[in-house]
Amino acid sequence: QVQLVESGGGLVQAGGSLRLSCAASGRTFSNYAMGWFRQKAGKEREFVGAIGWSGRSNTAYAESVKGRFTISRDNVNNMVYLQMNSLKPGDTAAYYCAAHRLKYTIATMSMIEDDFGSWGPGTQVTVSS
């Protein structure tokens, strides 16, 4: 099992940027794909993006954030990041970091919530208009 803690959320104006961080501890971090999900008030949790176990260009994004959000990982320091640019009020949500259940999965195979077995407590992002 891996323990995850997100940070970096807050209040930002539309058009602004935030970078979320996720610190991981526990099992070998580098062997697992990592994902970011979000949950808007009164809605189901939804996929935002994922990065495969090998990192680098192995990423996948929801259409709603493609071109604005970027996921990266630092396997030396067991960190995952979500850089969010051009934020919109519709991006307001609680953001969650998650670790995939299986080793060596690629980003496009890591987009389903049920495939992730470890979750952080979440960090709130609020975008004002």
mmCIF file of all heavy atoms in Angstrom, residues 17-62:
data_model
loop_
_atom_site.group_PDB
_atom_site.id
_atom_site.type_symbol
_atom_site.label_atom_id
_atom_site.label_comp_id
_atom_site.label_asym_id
_atom_site.label_seq_id
_atom_site.Cartn_x
_atom_site.Cartn_y
_atom_site.Cartn_z
ATOM 1 N N SER A 17 -2.917 30.166 -12.544
ATOM 2 C CA SER A 17 -2.286 28.848 -12.518
ATOM 3 C C SER A 17 -2.101 28.386 -11.076
ATOM 4 O O SER A 17 -1.975 29.200 -10.155
ATOM 5 C CB SER A 17 -0.906 28.900 -13.188
ATOM 6 O OG SER A 17 -1.012 29.260 -14.547
ATOM 7 N N LEU A 18 -2.072 27.079 -10.928
ATOM 8 C CA LEU A 18 -1.724 26.442 -9.658
ATOM 9 C C LEU A 18 -0.950 25.182 -9.983
ATOM 10 O O LEU A 18 -1.167 24.565 -11.036
ATOM 11 C CB LEU A 18 -2.964 26.049 -8.864
ATOM 12 C CG LEU A 18 -3.683 27.088 -8.008
ATOM 13 C CD1 LEU A 18 -4.935 26.462 -7.393
ATOM 14 C CD2 LEU A 18 -2.785 27.649 -6.929
ATOM 15 N N ARG A 19 -0.077 24.785 -9.068
ATOM 16 C CA ARG A 19 0.578 23.494 -9.186
ATOM 17 C C ARG A 19 0.263 22.671 -7.949
ATOM 18 O O ARG A 19 0.602 23.059 -6.833
ATOM 19 C CB ARG A 19 2.092 23.631 -9.348
ATOM 20 C CG ARG A 19 2.743 22.290 -9.677
ATOM 21 C CD ARG A 19 4.216 22.381 -9.970
ATOM 22 N NE ARG A 19 5.030 22.363 -8.764
ATOM 23 C CZ ARG A 19 6.276 21.894 -8.699
ATOM 24 N NH1 ARG A 19 6.850 21.405 -9.794
ATOM 25 N NH2 ARG A 19 6.956 21.946 -7.575
ATOM 26 N N LEU A 20 -0.373 21.536 -8.186
ATOM 27 C CA LEU A 20 -0.645 20.600 -7.105
ATOM 28 C C LEU A 20 0.499 19.608 -6.998
ATOM 29 O O LEU A 20 1.075 19.198 -8.014
ATOM 30 C CB LEU A 20 -1.951 19.856 -7.357
ATOM 31 C CG LEU A 20 -3.199 20.711 -7.581
ATOM 32 C CD1 LEU A 20 -4.420 19.811 -7.715
ATOM 33 C CD2 LEU A 20 -3.388 21.711 -6.469
ATOM 34 N N SER A 21 0.800 19.235 -5.772
ATOM 35 C CA SER A 21 1.832 18.241 -5.516
ATOM 36 C C SER A 21 1.220 17.065 -4.776
ATOM 37 O O SER A 21 0.247 17.223 -4.033
ATOM 38 C CB SER A 21 2.955 18.836 -4.653
ATOM 39 O OG SER A 21 3.565 19.933 -5.297
ATOM 40 N N CYS A 22 1.801 15.899 -4.989
ATOM 41 C CA CYS A 22 1.362 14.691 -4.293
ATOM 42 C C CYS A 22 2.610 13.961 -3.826
ATOM 43 O O CYS A 22 3.426 13.545 -4.648
ATOM 44 C CB CYS A 22 0.539 13.820 -5.230
ATOM 45 S SG CYS A 22 0.072 12.223 -4.545
ATOM 46 N N ALA A 23 2.734 13.834 -2.522
ATOM 47 C CA ALA A 23 3.871 13.120 -1.931
ATOM 48 C C ALA A 23 3.452 11.692 -1.635
ATOM 49 O O ALA A 23 2.411 11.455 -1.011
ATOM 50 C CB ALA A 23 4.311 13.826 -0.651
ATOM 51 N N ALA A 24 4.278 10.752 -2.065
ATOM 52 C CA ALA A 24 3.979 9.329 -1.889
ATOM 53 C C ALA A 24 4.984 8.686 -0.955
ATOM 54 O O ALA A 24 6.172 9.026 -0.968
ATOM 55 C CB ALA A 24 3.992 8.618 -3.237
ATOM 56 N N SER A 25 4.522 7.751 -0.175
ATOM 57 C CA SER A 25 5.407 6.954 0.679
ATOM 58 C C SER A 25 4.835 5.545 0.761
ATOM 59 O O SER A 25 3.659 5.314 0.516
ATOM 60 C CB SER A 25 5.512 7.576 2.076
ATOM 61 O OG SER A 25 4.246 7.612 2.706
ATOM 62 N N GLY A 26 5.711 4.606 1.086
ATOM 63 C CA GLY A 26 5.257 3.222 1.193
ATOM 64 C C GLY A 26 5.919 2.347 0.147
ATOM 65 O O GLY A 26 7.128 2.300 0.037
ATOM 66 N N ARG A 27 5.142 1.701 -0.685
ATOM 67 C CA ARG A 27 5.672 0.758 -1.668
ATOM 68 C C ARG A 27 6.495 1.491 -2.725
ATOM 69 O O ARG A 27 6.506 2.720 -2.784
ATOM 70 C CB ARG A 27 4.533 0.000 -2.351
ATOM 71 C CG ARG A 27 3.689 0.883 -3.238
ATOM 72 C CD ARG A 27 2.525 0.144 -3.845
ATOM 73 N NE ARG A 27 1.783 1.038 -4.744
ATOM 74 C CZ ARG A 27 0.606 0.781 -5.241
ATOM 75 N NH1 ARG A 27 -0.002 -0.335 -4.921
ATOM 76 N NH2 ARG A 27 0.008 1.625 -6.050
ATOM 77 N N THR A 28 7.149 0.736 -3.581
ATOM 78 C CA THR A 28 8.014 1.304 -4.615
ATOM 79 C C THR A 28 7.192 2.162 -5.568
ATOM 80 O O THR A 28 6.455 1.671 -6.413
ATOM 81 C CB THR A 28 8.722 0.185 -5.396
ATOM 82 O OG1 THR A 28 9.396 -0.661 -4.484
ATOM 83 C CG2 THR A 28 9.714 0.793 -6.380
ATOM 84 N N PHE A 29 7.369 3.437 -5.429
ATOM 85 C CA PHE A 29 6.559 4.418 -6.150
ATOM 86 C C PHE A 29 6.744 4.333 -7.652
ATOM 87 O O PHE A 29 5.784 4.404 -8.422
ATOM 88 C CB PHE A 29 6.943 5.805 -5.621
ATOM 89 C CG PHE A 29 6.396 6.955 -6.389
ATOM 90 C CD1 PHE A 29 5.083 7.351 -6.219
ATOM 91 C CD2 PHE A 29 7.188 7.661 -7.279
ATOM 92 C CE1 PHE A 29 4.568 8.424 -6.907
ATOM 93 C CE2 PHE A 29 6.681 8.740 -7.983
ATOM 94 C CZ PHE A 29 5.375 9.117 -7.786
ATOM 95 N N SER A 30 7.962 4.157 -8.089
ATOM 96 C CA SER A 30 8.289 4.293 -9.505
ATOM 97 C C SER A 30 7.677 3.202 -10.377
ATOM 98 O O SER A 30 7.648 3.341 -11.599
ATOM 99 C CB SER A 30 9.807 4.317 -9.695
ATOM 100 O OG SER A 30 10.375 3.123 -9.201
ATOM 101 N N ASN A 31 7.191 2.116 -9.779
ATOM 102 C CA ASN A 31 6.643 1.015 -10.571
ATOM 103 C C ASN A 31 5.174 1.198 -10.941
ATOM 104 O O ASN A 31 4.623 0.357 -11.661
ATOM 105 C CB ASN A 31 6.777 -0.299 -9.795
ATOM 106 C CG ASN A 31 8.212 -0.749 -9.663
ATOM 107 O OD1 ASN A 31 9.092 -0.290 -10.393
ATOM 108 N ND2 ASN A 31 8.469 -1.632 -8.720
ATOM 109 N N TYR A 32 4.547 2.258 -10.452
ATOM 110 C CA TYR A 32 3.104 2.394 -10.583
ATOM 111 C C TYR A 32 2.697 3.665 -11.308
ATOM 112 O O TYR A 32 3.269 4.739 -11.085
ATOM 113 C CB TYR A 32 2.456 2.387 -9.198
ATOM 114 C CG TYR A 32 2.639 1.076 -8.475
ATOM 115 C CD1 TYR A 32 3.779 0.819 -7.722
ATOM 116 C CD2 TYR A 32 1.673 0.075 -8.559
ATOM 117 C CE1 TYR A 32 3.966 -0.385 -7.077
ATOM 118 C CE2 TYR A 32 1.841 -1.133 -7.912
ATOM 119 C CZ TYR A 32 2.985 -1.363 -7.182
ATOM 120 O OH TYR A 32 3.158 -2.566 -6.540
ATOM 121 N N ALA A 33 1.679 3.532 -12.161
ATOM 122 C CA ALA A 33 1.066 4.716 -12.747
ATOM 123 C C ALA A 33 0.364 5.523 -11.660
ATOM 124 O O ALA A 33 -0.122 4.970 -10.672
ATOM 125 C CB ALA A 33 0.059 4.308 -13.822
ATOM 126 N N MET A 34 0.329 6.824 -11.867
ATOM 127 C CA MET A 34 -0.320 7.727 -10.918
ATOM 128 C C MET A 34 -1.385 8.542 -11.642
ATOM 129 O O MET A 34 -1.231 8.881 -12.819
ATOM 130 C CB MET A 34 0.704 8.676 -10.300
ATOM 131 C CG MET A 34 1.810 7.982 -9.529
ATOM 132 S SD MET A 34 1.207 7.122 -8.070
ATOM 133 C CE MET A 34 0.653 8.515 -7.078
ATOM 134 N N GLY A 35 -2.451 8.855 -10.941
ATOM 135 C CA GLY A 35 -3.529 9.611 -11.549
ATOM 136 C C GLY A 35 -3.977 10.776 -10.697
ATOM 137 O O GLY A 35 -3.723 10.820 -9.490
ATOM 138 N N TRP A 36 -4.620 11.719 -11.367
ATOM 139 C CA TRP A 36 -5.292 12.824 -10.686
ATOM 140 C C TRP A 36 -6.773 12.768 -11.056
ATOM 141 O O TRP A 36 -7.119 12.610 -12.249
ATOM 142 C CB TRP A 36 -4.713 14.183 -11.105
ATOM 143 C CG TRP A 36 -3.383 14.499 -10.499
ATOM 144 C CD1 TRP A 36 -2.155 14.277 -11.062
ATOM 145 C CD2 TRP A 36 -3.146 15.089 -9.222
ATOM 146 N NE1 TRP A 36 -1.165 14.707 -10.204
ATOM 147 C CE2 TRP A 36 -1.747 15.212 -9.073
ATOM 148 C CE3 TRP A 36 -3.963 15.543 -8.189
ATOM 149 C CZ2 TRP A 36 -1.150 15.763 -7.929
ATOM 150 C CZ3 TRP A 36 -3.375 16.090 -7.060
ATOM 151 C CH2 TRP A 36 -1.990 16.189 -6.936
ATOM 152 N N PHE A 37 -7.601 12.884 -10.062
ATOM 153 C CA PHE A 37 -9.041 12.914 -10.242
ATOM 154 C C PHE A 37 -9.570 14.156 -9.530
ATOM 155 O O PHE A 37 -8.873 14.749 -8.700
ATOM 156 C CB PHE A 37 -9.689 11.668 -9.640
ATOM 157 C CG PHE A 37 -9.360 10.405 -10.388
ATOM 158 C CD1 PHE A 37 -8.129 9.786 -10.252
ATOM 159 C CD2 PHE A 37 -10.302 9.816 -11.222
ATOM 160 C CE1 PHE A 37 -7.821 8.625 -10.949
ATOM 161 C CE2 PHE A 37 -10.009 8.650 -11.920
ATOM 162 C CZ PHE A 37 -8.771 8.059 -11.782
ATOM 163 N N ARG A 38 -10.785 14.530 -9.840
ATOM 164 C CA ARG A 38 -11.391 15.657 -9.129
ATOM 165 C C ARG A 38 -12.870 15.394 -8.913
ATOM 166 O O ARG A 38 -13.496 14.625 -9.639
ATOM 167 C CB ARG A 38 -11.198 16.957 -9.905
ATOM 168 C CG ARG A 38 -11.941 17.062 -11.235
ATOM 169 C CD ARG A 38 -11.549 18.333 -11.969
ATOM 170 N NE ARG A 38 -12.261 18.482 -13.232
ATOM 171 C CZ ARG A 38 -12.007 19.434 -14.127
ATOM 172 N NH1 ARG A 38 -11.053 20.348 -13.886
ATOM 173 N NH2 ARG A 38 -12.706 19.504 -15.249
ATOM 174 N N GLN A 39 -13.389 16.041 -7.890
ATOM 175 C CA GLN A 39 -14.802 15.896 -7.584
ATOM 176 C C GLN A 39 -15.391 17.279 -7.348
ATOM 177 O O GLN A 39 -15.024 17.960 -6.384
ATOM 178 C CB GLN A 39 -15.012 15.004 -6.364
ATOM 179 C CG GLN A 39 -16.468 14.689 -6.108
ATOM 180 C CD GLN A 39 -16.649 13.577 -5.086
ATOM 181 O OE1 GLN A 39 -15.761 13.275 -4.295
ATOM 182 N NE2 GLN A 39 -17.799 12.935 -5.119
ATOM 183 N N LYS A 40 -16.290 17.652 -8.225
ATOM 184 C CA LYS A 40 -16.994 18.917 -8.078
ATOM 185 C C LYS A 40 -18.158 18.739 -7.119
ATOM 186 O O LYS A 40 -18.654 17.634 -6.934
ATOM 187 C CB LYS A 40 -17.489 19.398 -9.442
ATOM 188 C CG LYS A 40 -16.363 19.571 -10.455
ATOM 189 C CD LYS A 40 -16.896 19.964 -11.812
ATOM 190 C CE LYS A 40 -15.763 20.052 -12.825
ATOM 191 N NZ LYS A 40 -16.246 20.431 -14.171
ATOM 192 N N ALA A 41 -18.590 19.820 -6.506
ATOM 193 C CA ALA A 41 -19.665 19.760 -5.526
ATOM 194 C C ALA A 41 -20.905 19.101 -6.128
ATOM 195 O O ALA A 41 -21.386 19.512 -7.196
ATOM 196 C CB ALA A 41 -19.995 21.155 -5.028
ATOM 197 N N GLY A 42 -21.389 18.073 -5.464
ATOM 198 C CA GLY A 42 -22.602 17.404 -5.897
ATOM 199 C C GLY A 42 -22.444 16.481 -7.095
ATOM 200 O O GLY A 42 -23.437 15.978 -7.620
ATOM 201 N N LYS A 43 -21.189 16.265 -7.524
ATOM 202 C CA LYS A 43 -20.961 15.418 -8.702
ATOM 203 C C LYS A 43 -20.104 14.209 -8.348
ATOM 204 O O LYS A 43 -19.493 14.146 -7.282
ATOM 205 C CB LYS A 43 -20.245 16.246 -9.788
ATOM 206 C CG LYS A 43 -21.008 17.468 -10.252
ATOM 207 C CD LYS A 43 -22.175 17.097 -11.107
ATOM 208 C CE LYS A 43 -22.927 18.292 -11.639
ATOM 209 N NZ LYS A 43 -22.129 19.120 -12.543
ATOM 210 N N GLU A 44 -20.065 13.258 -9.288
ATOM 211 C CA GLU A 44 -19.196 12.103 -9.127
ATOM 212 C C GLU A 44 -17.742 12.516 -9.360
ATOM 213 O O GLU A 44 -17.464 13.480 -10.067
ATOM 214 C CB GLU A 44 -19.571 11.036 -10.162
ATOM 215 C CG GLU A 44 -20.980 10.502 -10.050
ATOM 216 C CD GLU A 44 -21.097 9.500 -8.924
ATOM 217 O OE1 GLU A 44 -20.183 8.672 -8.777
ATOM 218 O OE2 GLU A 44 -22.099 9.550 -8.198
ATOM 219 N N ARG A 45 -16.842 11.737 -8.774
ATOM 220 C CA ARG A 45 -15.422 11.984 -9.023
ATOM 221 C C ARG A 45 -15.115 11.654 -10.480
ATOM 222 O O ARG A 45 -15.636 10.672 -11.020
ATOM 223 C CB ARG A 45 -14.583 11.146 -8.067
ATOM 224 C CG ARG A 45 -13.127 11.526 -8.037
ATOM 225 C CD ARG A 45 -12.469 11.171 -6.704
ATOM 226 N NE ARG A 45 -12.644 9.800 -6.306
ATOM 227 C CZ ARG A 45 -12.227 9.323 -5.134
ATOM 228 N NH1 ARG A 45 -11.629 10.132 -4.259
ATOM 229 N NH2 ARG A 45 -12.415 8.053 -4.824
ATOM 230 N N GLU A 46 -14.250 12.455 -11.102
ATOM 231 C CA GLU A 46 -13.944 12.270 -12.523
ATOM 232 C C GLU A 46 -12.443 12.264 -12.761
ATOM 233 O O GLU A 46 -11.676 12.886 -12.023
ATOM 234 C CB GLU A 46 -14.590 13.376 -13.366
ATOM 235 C CG GLU A 46 -14.084 14.771 -13.072
ATOM 236 C CD GLU A 46 -14.763 15.836 -13.922
ATOM 237 O OE1 GLU A 46 -15.818 15.566 -14.532
ATOM 238 O OE2 GLU A 46 -14.240 16.965 -13.967
ATOM 239 N N PHE A 47 -12.063 11.597 -13.813
ATOM 240 C CA PHE A 47 -10.660 11.493 -14.216
ATOM 241 C C PHE A 47 -10.172 12.844 -14.737
ATOM 242 O O PHE A 47 -10.875 13.516 -15.501
ATOM 243 C CB PHE A 47 -10.535 10.423 -15.298
ATOM 244 C CG PHE A 47 -9.188 10.353 -15.952
ATOM 245 C CD1 PHE A 47 -8.119 9.744 -15.318
ATOM 246 C CD2 PHE A 47 -8.998 10.890 -17.222
ATOM 247 C CE1 PHE A 47 -6.880 9.677 -15.928
ATOM 248 C CE2 PHE A 47 -7.766 10.820 -17.841
ATOM 249 C CZ PHE A 47 -6.704 10.208 -17.195
ATOM 250 N N VAL A 48 -8.969 13.225 -14.331
ATOM 251 C CA VAL A 48 -8.332 14.440 -14.842
ATOM 252 C C VAL A 48 -7.148 14.080 -15.720
ATOM 253 O O VAL A 48 -7.040 14.543 -16.850
ATOM 254 C CB VAL A 48 -7.861 15.347 -13.672
ATOM 255 C CG1 VAL A 48 -7.048 16.524 -14.207
ATOM 256 C CG2 VAL A 48 -9.051 15.822 -12.862
ATOM 257 N N GLY A 49 -6.261 13.258 -15.199
ATOM 258 C CA GLY A 49 -5.085 12.879 -15.975
ATOM 259 C C GLY A 49 -4.313 11.772 -15.291
ATOM 260 O O GLY A 49 -4.545 11.475 -14.118
ATOM 261 N N ALA A 50 -3.415 11.144 -16.026
ATOM 262 C CA ALA A 50 -2.601 10.062 -15.489
ATOM 263 C C ALA A 50 -1.225 10.104 -16.122
ATOM 264 O O ALA A 50 -1.040 10.629 -17.235
ATOM 265 C CB ALA A 50 -3.252 8.712 -15.749
ATOM 266 N N ILE A 51 -0.274 9.548 -15.412
ATOM 267 C CA ILE A 51 1.078 9.402 -15.924
ATOM 268 C C ILE A 51 1.505 7.969 -15.685
ATOM 269 O O ILE A 51 1.330 7.427 -14.591
ATOM 270 C CB ILE A 51 2.036 10.417 -15.281
ATOM 271 C CG1 ILE A 51 3.421 10.345 -15.922
ATOM 272 C CG2 ILE A 51 2.105 10.256 -13.770
ATOM 273 C CD1 ILE A 51 4.304 11.542 -15.607
ATOM 274 N N GLY A 52 2.026 7.346 -16.718
ATOM 275 C CA GLY A 52 2.426 5.963 -16.622
ATOM 276 C C GLY A 52 3.626 5.770 -15.716
ATOM 277 O O GLY A 52 4.287 6.733 -15.318
ATOM 278 N N TRP A 53 3.917 4.504 -15.422
ATOM 279 C CA TRP A 53 4.988 4.208 -14.477
ATOM 280 C C TRP A 53 6.328 4.732 -14.975
ATOM 281 O O TRP A 53 7.186 5.127 -14.178
ATOM 282 C CB TRP A 53 5.071 2.712 -14.223
ATOM 283 C CG TRP A 53 5.587 1.935 -15.397
ATOM 284 C CD1 TRP A 53 4.894 1.510 -16.484
ATOM 285 C CD2 TRP A 53 6.943 1.504 -15.583
ATOM 286 N NE1 TRP A 53 5.719 0.848 -17.350
ATOM 287 C CE2 TRP A 53 6.980 0.821 -16.829
ATOM 288 C CE3 TRP A 53 8.104 1.625 -14.844
ATOM 289 C CZ2 TRP A 53 8.160 0.263 -17.318
ATOM 290 C CZ3 TRP A 53 9.272 1.065 -15.332
ATOM 291 C CH2 TRP A 53 9.280 0.399 -16.559
ATOM 292 N N SER A 54 6.504 4.785 -16.304
ATOM 293 C CA SER A 54 7.786 5.255 -16.827
ATOM 294 C C SER A 54 7.868 6.766 -16.919
ATOM 295 O O SER A 54 8.940 7.319 -17.184
ATOM 296 C CB SER A 54 8.036 4.648 -18.203
ATOM 297 O OG SER A 54 7.064 5.109 -19.121
ATOM 298 N N GLY A 55 6.736 7.460 -16.715
ATOM 299 C CA GLY A 55 6.745 8.918 -16.706
ATOM 300 C C GLY A 55 7.001 9.502 -18.090
ATOM 301 O O GLY A 55 6.493 9.015 -19.082
ATOM 302 N N ARG A 56 7.756 10.562 -18.124
ATOM 303 C CA ARG A 56 8.129 11.292 -19.338
ATOM 304 C C ARG A 56 6.897 11.581 -20.199
ATOM 305 O O ARG A 56 5.959 12.210 -19.766
ATOM 306 C CB ARG A 56 9.207 10.520 -20.109
ATOM 307 C CG ARG A 56 10.569 10.614 -19.402
ATOM 308 C CD ARG A 56 11.648 9.841 -20.106
ATOM 309 N NE ARG A 56 11.525 8.421 -19.812
ATOM 310 C CZ ARG A 56 12.355 7.507 -20.300
ATOM 311 N NH1 ARG A 56 13.319 7.841 -21.134
ATOM 312 N NH2 ARG A 56 12.217 6.238 -19.994
ATOM 313 N N SER A 57 6.834 11.100 -21.420
ATOM 314 C CA SER A 57 5.742 11.462 -22.317
ATOM 315 C C SER A 57 4.535 10.543 -22.179
ATOM 316 O O SER A 57 3.564 10.692 -22.909
ATOM 317 C CB SER A 57 6.240 11.439 -23.757
ATOM 318 O OG SER A 57 6.692 10.152 -24.086
ATOM 319 N N ASN A 58 4.585 9.606 -21.280
ATOM 320 C CA ASN A 58 3.491 8.650 -21.121
ATOM 321 C C ASN A 58 2.410 9.243 -20.230
ATOM 322 O O ASN A 58 2.354 8.955 -19.022
ATOM 323 C CB ASN A 58 4.033 7.343 -20.533
ATOM 324 C CG ASN A 58 2.985 6.272 -20.485
ATOM 325 O OD1 ASN A 58 2.948 5.467 -19.562
ATOM 326 N ND2 ASN A 58 2.095 6.259 -21.458
ATOM 327 N N THR A 59 1.567 10.082 -20.812
ATOM 328 C CA THR A 59 0.517 10.755 -20.064
ATOM 329 C C THR A 59 -0.807 10.666 -20.811
ATOM 330 O O THR A 59 -0.845 10.417 -22.015
ATOM 331 C CB THR A 59 0.851 12.243 -19.836
ATOM 332 O OG1 THR A 59 1.108 12.863 -21.111
ATOM 333 C CG2 THR A 59 2.062 12.416 -18.934
ATOM 334 N N ALA A 60 -1.884 10.872 -20.092
ATOM 335 C CA ALA A 60 -3.221 10.897 -20.678
ATOM 336 C C ALA A 60 -4.036 11.923 -19.903
ATOM 337 O O ALA A 60 -3.837 12.098 -18.692
ATOM 338 C CB ALA A 60 -3.873 9.524 -20.580
ATOM 339 N N TYR A 61 -4.954 12.593 -20.616
ATOM 340 C CA TYR A 61 -5.733 13.663 -20.002
ATOM 341 C C TYR A 61 -7.193 13.588 -20.409
ATOM 342 O O TYR A 61 -7.535 13.134 -21.502
ATOM 343 C CB TYR A 61 -5.182 15.035 -20.430
ATOM 344 C CG TYR A 61 -3.764 15.271 -20.005
ATOM 345 C CD1 TYR A 61 -2.697 14.986 -20.858
ATOM 346 C CD2 TYR A 61 -3.473 15.773 -18.736
ATOM 347 C CE1 TYR A 61 -1.385 15.190 -20.458
ATOM 348 C CE2 TYR A 61 -2.158 15.978 -18.335
ATOM 349 C CZ TYR A 61 -1.127 15.683 -19.201
ATOM 350 O OH TYR A 61 0.162 15.884 -18.802
ATOM 351 N N ALA A 62 -8.045 14.085 -19.545
ATOM 352 C CA ALA A 62 -9.444 14.289 -19.911
ATOM 353 C C ALA A 62 -9.504 15.403 -20.945
ATOM 354 O O ALA A 62 -8.692 16.335 -20.926
ATOM 355 C CB ALA A 62 -10.250 14.659 -18.666
#
